[in-house]
Amino acid sequence: MGFLTRIRYMRYAKHYLIFALVTVLISLGSLVTLGLNRGIDFSGGLLLDIQFEKTVSTEQVRTVIMQATGIDAQIQQVEVRGAENPEATEFLVRTPELTDDQKDSLFKNLLHLGSYEVISEDAVSATVSSELTQKALLAIGIALVLQVIYISIRFQFRMGVTAVLALVHDVIITAGVLSLLQVEINSNFVAAALTVLGYSMNDTVVVMDRLRENLHNRQKGESFEEMATRSIQEVITRSIYTGVSVILMLVAMIVLGGSTILDFALTLLVGTLAGTYSSIVVAAALWYLWERNHDGRHPGPAKAKPAKA
C-alpha cells in the first residue's frame, strides 16, 4: 500500500472529475432509459409469497395467474423456507392491485397446481406508494441539506458544497447501477441510501479535516497542489482499509445472507464503493480546483514562517 502515499493525486484532479462525470452520465442514462425496478412499496400493488408442496415451474404459476386475473404478473422463484417436503417450491408474485373477486379467482386457480400455502401477503395502494416515494426523496434531501450546513459551520462553505456534490454522485451512481441490474427498489433502499450517505460523509469529513489542517499549516516552500496531495496521502490508507473492511462484510452478506437481504446488501455495496472513491478524490478534487481558482490565493509556495526572537 506504500505506493498509494507516493501518488501526486491533485495533479490528476481534472481526470477524476471527468471520470466521475462520465459515470454519472451513464447512470443517468440508465435511469432515463431503463428506469428503476420499483417494488410495490413505490409502485403499489400486491406481493404474495406462495409455497407449493410439490415442484411447480415459474411458467405454470404465470399461466394460472394469467387465466385467473388476465394479468402478466412478475414471478420470482426464491429459496424454500421451512418446508418439510424436499420437492417444495416457493415463489414471490407481484401484481397490480387486485379486486376481491380477482384474488378469490387467483387463489382458487392456484389449487390446480397442488396444495399451497400463502406465506405472506403485502398490499400497498397507489396513494400510499406515492406518499412513500415523496417521503423517501424528502428524507434524502433533508439529509443532504443538513450535511451542507454542518460542513459549512465546521469547516467552510466550499467544503460543504463539494462534500454534498460527492454525496449526490454516490446516490446517482448507486441508483444507476441498480437500474442497470434491475434490482428491485423497495423501502429498504431508502435505509440503504441514508446509510451510504452517512458512511460517505464520515469518510469525506476525514479528508476535509486534513485539508483544513494542512491548509493552515503548509510546509515551507510547499505549493497549494502539494499541500492538497499531501493531505490525501495522509488519509488514503486509512480510508481504503475502512472501505475494504465494510466491503468484505457486505460481500459475505450477499453470498451467505440469502434473498431476503440481497437487495439491501447490494445497494450498500455499490454505495460504499462509490462513497469510498468519491470521498478520497471527487470531493477533494472539486474543493481543490474551486479553492485554487476562486481568487488565486493559494497557487504559490508557502512562505517560510518568521523566526521567533
Side-chain angles (χ1 to χ4, degrees), residues 114-150:
S115 299
Y116 69 90
E117 179 184 0
V118 178
I119 304 299
S120 66
E121 177 181 340
D122 296 315
V124 179
S125 70
T127 302
V128 173
S129 63
S130 176
E131 290 179 359
L132 183 60
T133 302
Q134 293 176 6
K135 290 181 179 178
L137 294 175
L138 181 63
I140 294 175
I142 290 174
L144 292 175
V145 171
L146 291 177
Q147 303 284 13
V148 171
I149 294 173
Y150 169 72

Side-chain angles (χ1 to χ4, degrees), residues 13 46 53 63 70 111 117 119 130 171 178 186 188-189 194 223-224 234 239 243 268 273 281-282:
L46 179 67
E53 289 186 357
T63 301
L111 288 172
E117 179 184 0
I119 304 299
S130 176
V171 174
L178 296 182
N186 50 37
N188 289 337
F189 171 77
L194 292 175
S223 68
F224 185 57
E234 290 174 352
S239 294
L268 285 178
L273 287 170
V281 291
V282 174

